[in-house]
Amino acid sequence: MQFPESWLREFCNPPITTAELAELLTMSGMEVEEARPAAPPFTGVVVGQVLAVERHPNADRLNVCQVDAGSGTPLTIVCGAPNVRVGIKVPCALVGAELPPGEDGKPFVIKLGKLRGVESQGMLCSARELKLSEDHGGLLILDDGATVGADVRGHLNLDDTIFTLKLTPNLAHGLSVYGIAREVAALTGAPLKTVAFPPVKPTHDTVLPVKIEAPDLCGRFSGRVVRHVDTKAKTPAWMVDRLARCGQRSVTALVDISNYVMFEYGRPSHIFDFDKIHGGLTVRWGRPGESLELLNGNTIEVDATVGVIADDQAVESLAGIMGGEATAVSESTRHVYVEAAFWWPEAVAGRSRRYAFATDAGHRFERGVDPAKTVEHIERITQLIIDICGGEAGPMDDQVLALPEAKPVTLRVERATKVIGMPVTQEQCEGVMRRLGLAFTSEPGLLHVTPPSWRFDLKIEEDLIEEVIRVLGYRTLPDTPPRAPVRPRPQTETRRGLNAIRHALAALDFQETINFSFVEERWEHELAGNPDPIRVLNPIASPLAVMRSSLSGSLVAVLQYNLARRASRVRVFEIGRIYRRDAQVADGEVAVAGVHQPVRVAALAWGPADALQWGSKERPVDFFDLKGDLEALLAPRKAQFEPADHPALHPGRCARVLLDGCDIGVIGELHPRWRQAYELPSAPVLFELDAAALRERAVPSFVPIPRQQVAWRDVALVADDKVTHAALMQAIGASADGLVRSARLFDVYRPAAGSADLKSGERSLAVRLELLDEETTLTDERIEAAVAEVLARLHERLGVRRRG
C-alpha cells in the first residue's frame, strides 16, 4: 500500500514527525517498507508566467520568452520546449538555483548565460528536469491558480513523504488511506476526521435492472445510472498528483475517480458504459465455454468456479477483479453505470492468479472490503463525477442478500495477561476497544467484542489480544530474561555434526548449494526411479510439484545453471532431507506418519579434475577422482564398493557404497541417456550417501609402535578377469595365523595375445603383502609358510594361481 503522508494527515494529523509516524506504523504491525521524499531536493525554482514568446533570431528551435517570476521585472529566458506559449504558468529556475543532481551526482546550478547570442536569465523546467517524472515532452504546466513567484516546492507540496506499507494478508482494513488514518487515530489518540457522504439528489428515474443469482458470490450489489457525463473532461491536477503518489498513473477522468475512491476508502468499483449494456445485468457464476475480453487486453475463458457480471448477451466483467472491454467507457460514452458490491472473499481469492495477473480490486476483495458502505461510496463517486465530468444522477439501486455475520469474540483479561507476558487491566482492554471503534459489552474479567463491518481479521480471542498489545505498544513490554532451563544435549565423540561434514567437503574443493525440497516430477521419474512421489498440495510453481526422494536432480539442475553461465569447472554438494513413502513411520515431534525423511549428503563433480594449474596435464574428472574424495570424507573408516544399478547412473560406472557391511549410498557417472536429455556437454560424476552413516566415526585410540620389523613379500598372481579387487583382498585378509597385516595391489598386466603362461580372459596381478608378528621376529620359514597359505586360499576360493 503506497500513499502520501499529506493525504493521511488530512484525515488524522497527530503531533508527531514523519519519522515517528513511520516508527509508529511499523511497531503497530503495518510495516513501513519505505518512506521516501515525493521529490528530490532542489532550490530556487518558483512559479513563473510566460508573458511573451518570440522566435530566437539565430536558432529555429529556440524561443525567447519574457517571464514574470514575481520579482517585478520580467526575465528574458531562452527556451526550446515545444509547448511553451503565452499565459501558461511553469516552474522557473532563477539564476543561482540548484536543480536535482544528474548522472554525475552533482547539483545542476543555473547560471546567467547566452544561448546563440541571446542572454538567458534562468530556465523554464520540465517535470523530468525536476525529477518529478520521466515526462520530457515539454514544460511542466501548472494550474492557473498558482501564485506567480511562489516556491514550486510549496505549490506542488513536494516536501511530502511517500509511505509504502508492507501489509500482511489479515490487514485488509489498512488498504486505504482512511483505514490507515483510523489506525493512527487509535494508536495516538489524535482526532479522526468525520467523513460524510451526502446523498446526491436524483434528477432522472433511469434504473438498470440487476439480478443476483449467486448469493454465495455477491452479498450486496449497489449501483446507479449517471447520464450526460463528459468523458473528455480533464482530471484535476490534485487528483492526478495524489494518484501518482499512490503509484497509479492517470488514465481518464472516470477511471481516475474510481481509482481515487479505491485508494481513499478501500472501495474498488467499476464504471460501465450504460449504452453498451444489453438489457440488464446478472450476477452469477460463470458457465463452461464462456469467454471475456478484459480491460488489459487478455481474453479468458471462465467456468463454474469464477464469478461474473453478465448482460443479456454475454459476460461483461470478472466479478471483483476486472471489467470487460465490451462495456468499457470511452470518449464516446455519454451515460455510465456506477457499480459497487460486496464480493465474498473466498469467491474472489485465487481467481486472478489462475489467469496469471493481479489487480488492486482483487487484492482488496479477496481480503475483505467493508460491506456496509457500498451506497455511501457510490455517493462519493457520483459527486466526484458530477463535479469533474458533469452529469445527472439517477436513483440508487441497492440489493442486500447476505452479509458477513459479526460473531462476538470473548476476551479474557487474565488470558490476555498470560499471552502478552505483562499485567493488563480490564480498563486498559476496554480503552483499546473504544479507540479501535469496536463495540463490546463487559463483565468482570471478560469483554464480549463484536467486530465492525470493516474488520475481517477478528475471529478468535488471540486476535483481540494482539489488538490490545498492538495499541498499548510493544515497547511497553518488559525486558525480562527467559527462565526456561537450558538442557544441553552433548554429542558423543563417535558422532560428528553436519557442519563438520560441510567443512570436510569444502576442504575437498566442493561448494555448498541449497535447493528447494520440492522438485520437478520428471526428476523423480528419471533420476530417482520413483513412480509415485509425494505431491505438494499447493505448489509455488507448476514445475515444483513433488517432494524429492533424491538429491541428484537438484545437483544436476545446479550444474545446468552453472553451465548456462559458462562455468568451466563445477564441484558442488548439498546436505538436505529427502522424502519417501514409508507406512511404518508414525507421527511424532519431528515426523509425519507415512513419510520417511532422512538427511542425505550428495556431491557432484564436472569438468577438469584439477583447477587451472601447470603441474599436470588437464584431464576430465572421473569415477575414481570422486571415489577418492568419498574415501577422504569417510576416513579413517574404510568403505567397500560393489557394482550396482541405479536409474540415474551409468550401468558400468556405478557402485554401491558399503560401510561395515551396510549399504549407505551410491556413487557413479550420470547415465548417457540423462546426459543427453539434460543437454550436458559431458557426464558428471556424483555420489549420494546417508548422512547418519557419515556422522558416525571411530574415536582414535593409541597403540604402541611395533617392536618387531615388518616383512614385505611381492607375489605375482594369475587371475580370471571376473575376479574383483574386493574379492581378492577379502580372501587375502582371512589369514588364519594373523601374520598378514595388509595387502596392496600395485600392478595389473594383461598381455596383448599369445602369452605362454596366461590364457585368454586372464590377467596378471602383482600384490605386496605386509607381514608382522607383534611378539617375535619373523623367520624366513614362517614368512614363506604364510605366503603359501595365502596362495592356497586364493586358489581354493577364487581359482587364482601363482605366476611362474
Side-chain angles (χ1 to χ4, degrees):
M1 175 64 188
Q2 180 178 313
F3 61 93
E5 180 185 5
S6 59
W7 197 0
L8 173 67
R9 288 187 180 272
E10 283 191 8
F11 290 116
C12 180
N13 188 13
I16 57 178
T17 65
T18 299
E20 290 171 339
L21 178 60
E23 177 70 9
L24 175 75
L25 290 172
T26 297
M27 293 306 296
S28 70
M30 295 185 170
E31 180 185 351
V32 177
E33 192 172 27
E34 182 184 27
R36 58 180 174 83
F42 60 83
T43 60
V45 183
V46 300
V47 177
Q49 185 171 20
V50 180
L51 303 178
V53 179
E54 296 179 356
R55 283 290 180 187
H56 194 291
N58 301 320
D60 294 337
R61 296 185 179 181
L62 295 179
N63 296 298
V64 180
C65 306
Q66 298 298 315
V67 181
D68 180 7
S71 60
T73 303
L75 303 177
T76 300
I77 298 178
V78 178
C79 175
N83 63 339
V84 64
R85 63 182 185 272
V86 175
I88 62 172
K89 294 181 179 179
V90 296
C92 176
L94 305 176
V95 173
E98 291 188 357
L99 299 188
E103 295 181 357
D104 58 358
K106 298 179 180 179
F108 182 71
V109 179
I110 303 300
K111 300 178 181 179
L112 185 66
K114 287 186 177 182
L115 292 176
R116 297 290 185 93
V118 177
E119 186 177 67
S120 183
Q121 299 172 320
M123 174 180 173
L124 303 184
C125 303
S126 67
R128 187 177 187 180
E129 288 161 341
L130 297 179
K131 297 295 176 65
L132 302 182
S133 74
E134 291 301 316
D135 182 13
H136 60 285
L139 300 176
L140 174 62
I141 300 178
L142 306 175
D143 60 272
D144 294 337
T147 302
V148 173
D151 190 339
V152 165
R153 296 194 69 89
H155 174 70
L156 296 178
N157 193 21
L158 298 183
D159 292 323
D160 200 358
T161 300
I162 308 299
F163 281 96
T164 301
L165 303 189
K166 187 177 182 180
L167 300 177
T168 52
N170 63 316
L171 298 179
H173 56 284
L175 288 171
S176 68
V177 177
Y178 185 76
I180 298 168
R182 187 163 45 203
E183 289 294 306
V184 172
L187 295 168
T188 63
L192 178 67
K193 178 183 176 181
T194 303
V195 293
F197 304 96
V200 177
K201 184 178 180 180
T203 56
H204 64 84
D205 57 0
T206 305
V207 176
L208 179 68
V210 177
K211 181 171 60 176
I212 302 176
E213 295 182 352
D216 57 337
L217 167 65
C218 178
R220 184 176 186 178
F221 195 95
S222 306
R224 129 183 304 161
V225 177
V226 183
R227 302 177 64 87
H228 304 299
V229 297
D230 178 13
T231 55
K232 297 180 182 179
K234 186 178 180 182
T235 306
W238 60 267
M239 182 177 288
V240 172
D241 181 63
R242 281 190 171 175
L243 287 174
R245 295 185 185 187
C246 290
Q248 181 72 47
R249 66 180 180 87
S250 176
V251 184
T252 65
L254 289 173
V255 175
D256 291 346
I257 290 170
S258 177
N259 287 333
Y260 182 82
V261 174
M262 179 181 68
F263 286 113
E264 186 177 35
Y265 295 114
R267 167 68 57 192
S269 60
H270 186 60
I271 301 179
F272 295 83
D273 187 324
F274 177 73
D275 296 323
K276 295 178 182 178
I277 299 174
H278 303 92
L281 294 179
T282 301
V283 179
R284 58 175 173 81
W285 293 104
R287 296 165 185 164
E290 290 183 324
S291 62
L292 170 65
E293 183 182 359
L294 297 170
L295 289 173
N296 62 5
N298 293 349
T299 299
I300 64 171
E301 291 189 3
V302 301
D303 55 31
T305 64
V306 178
V308 299
I309 303 175
D311 63 12
D312 293 349
Q313 293 187 6
V315 174
E316 302 297 350
S317 178
L318 201 57
I321 299 174
M322 185 180 289
E325 182 64 30
T327 54
V329 295
S330 63
E331 290 187 355
S332 62
T333 299
R334 294 295 297 145
H335 315 301
V336 298
Y337 179 72
V338 183
E339 164 265 314
F342 168 68
W343 307 100
W344 291 98
E346 54 271 20
V348 179
R351 270 48 172 199
S352 61
R353 289 187 289 276
R354 290 177 52 180
Y355 302 111
F357 68 87
T359 64
D360 287 329
H363 183 76
R364 285 163 172 79
F365 277 123
E366 67 183 6
R367 286 159 172 77
V369 175
D370 187 357
K373 296 289 185 181
T374 57
V375 172
E376 289 84 347
H377 292 161
I378 287 185
E379 297 288 4
R380 171 66 168 158
I381 294 171
T382 304
Q383 189 61 61
L384 288 171
I385 291 175
I386 293 174
D387 292 344
I388 297 171
C389 303
E392 302 170 354
M396 182 73 68
D397 177 29
D398 182 31
Q399 299 184 49
V400 180
L401 285 83
L403 299 182
E405 181 183 355
K407 297 181 179 180
V409 182
T410 299
L411 170 65
R412 295 168 290 174
V413 177
E414 183 180 355
R415 172 68 176 166
T417 297
K418 184 176 181 181
V419 172
I420 293 173
M422 74 174 189
V424 292
T425 65
Q426 182 151 347
E427 290 73 18
Q428 287 178 310
C429 295
E430 291 177 358
V432 168
M433 302 307 151
R434 290 191 190 96
R435 292 165 66 177
L436 290 171
L438 308 182
F440 67 92
T441 60
S442 63
E443 56 184 277
L446 297 175
L447 274 73
H448 305 286
V449 181
T450 302
S453 58
W454 65 82
R455 294 297 295 266
F456 288 78
D457 59 322
L458 302 180
K459 303 294 185 183
I460 58 177
E461 184 179 22
E462 282 71 14
D463 295 331
L464 296 178
I465 295 174
E466 181 183 6
E467 295 300 297
V468 171
I469 186 56
R470 190 171 67 87
V471 175
L472 292 179
Y474 291 110
R475 296 190 182 280
T476 62
L477 291 170
D479 296 329
T480 54
R483 296 182 180 178
V486 177
R487 296 186 179 92
R489 297 181 178 180
Q491 294 186 356
T492 63
E493 288 186 88
T494 59
R495 187 174 177 83
R496 59 177 171 175
L498 291 176
N499 278 338
I501 298 176
R502 288 187 174 92
H503 284 287
L505 283 165
L508 292 170
D509 199 22
F510 288 90
Q511 292 184 338
E512 184 174 14
T513 179
I514 301 174
N515 299 286
F516 284 127
S517 295
F518 21 86
V519 297
E520 292 188 36
E521 189 170 358
R522 173 191 177 190
W523 299 355
E524 285 298 296
H525 295 324
E526 296 176 349
L527 300 180
N530 184 6
D532 185 24
I534 300 171
R535 296 193 171 276
V536 180
L537 295 179
N538 185 23
I540 61 174
S542 55
L544 308 179
V546 299
M547 303 299 292
R548 64 183 179 185
S549 63
S550 169
L551 303 183
S552 301
S554 300
L555 293 184
V556 171
V558 171
L559 174 60
Q560 286 181 300
Y561 184 88
N562 281 270
L563 291 179
R565 285 149 184 82
R566 300 185 178 276
S568 59
R569 184 172 182 264
V570 178
R571 292 172 66 87
V572 292
F573 77 92
E574 181 176 7
I575 299 177
R577 292 190 182 276
I578 62 172
Y579 305 86
R580 293 175 176 171
R581 299 185 187 277
D582 188 345
Q584 297 181 354
V585 177
D587 267 325
E589 292 184 0
V590 292
V592 177
V595 180
H596 184 42
Q597 306 176 52
V599 179
R600 307 282 283 183
V601 178
L604 177 146
W606 177 90
D610 300 311
L612 188 64
Q613 43 83 43
W614 55 268
S616 61
K617 185 177 180 181
E618 182 177 297
R619 62 177 181 81
V621 67
D622 59 20
F623 174 91
F624 297 101
D625 292 313
L626 197 67
K627 177 174 176 284
D629 292 332
L630 177 55
E631 290 175 331
L633 182 64
L634 292 170
R637 305 176 74 189
K638 295 185 179 296
Q640 295 176 307
F641 299 86
E642 294 182 353
D645 290 325
H646 190 278
L649 303 179
H650 193 300
R653 301 172 186 175
C654 170
R656 182 182 298 106
V657 183
L658 303 175
L659 195 61
D660 300 331
C662 297
D663 185 352
I664 67 167
V666 67
I667 180 174
E669 182 181 298
L670 190 68
H671 198 291
R673 182 193 303 122
W674 308 135
R675 183 200 67 75
Q676 184 176 10
Y678 292 95
E679 300 179 351
L680 303 176
S682 59
V685 287
L686 60 157
F687 67 72
E688 184 172 344
L689 307 175
D690 182 19
L694 283 178
R695 297 180 67 179
E696 299 297 330
R697 62 178 179 180
V699 177
S701 58
F702 297 98
V703 294
I705 298 174
R707 291 187 293 177
Q708 307 298 328
Q709 276 191 325
V710 175
W712 288 276
R713 291 293 184 272
D714 294 342
V715 292
L717 307 173
V718 177
D720 191 272
D721 281 341
K722 297 180 180 179
V723 175
T724 65
H725 175 269
L728 186 73
M729 293 298 109
Q730 186 177 9
I732 293 175
S735 174
D737 56 7
L739 293 183
V740 178
R741 189 178 186 185
S742 68
R744 183 178 294 274
L745 177 68
F746 66 88
D747 186 43
V748 178
Y749 168 69
R750 184 182 287 105
S755 175
D757 55 349
L758 292 180
K759 301 176 183 178
S760 177
E762 291 183 334
R763 55 185 172 173
S764 174
L765 307 175
V767 178
R768 173 163 294 177
L769 303 177
E770 180 186 13
L771 299 98
L772 174 68
D773 188 334
E774 299 278 359
E775 302 298 331
T776 61
T777 302
L778 289 175
T779 62
D780 289 341
E781 291 78 8
R782 291 188 66 193
I783 293 173
E784 294 303 326
V787 172
E789 181 189 353
V790 168
L791 294 173
R793 190 163 53 251
L794 288 173
H795 182 72
E796 177 184 352
R797 295 189 179 185
L798 304 175
V800 174
R801 69 181 186 276
R802 190 168 189 170
R803 186 175 179 183

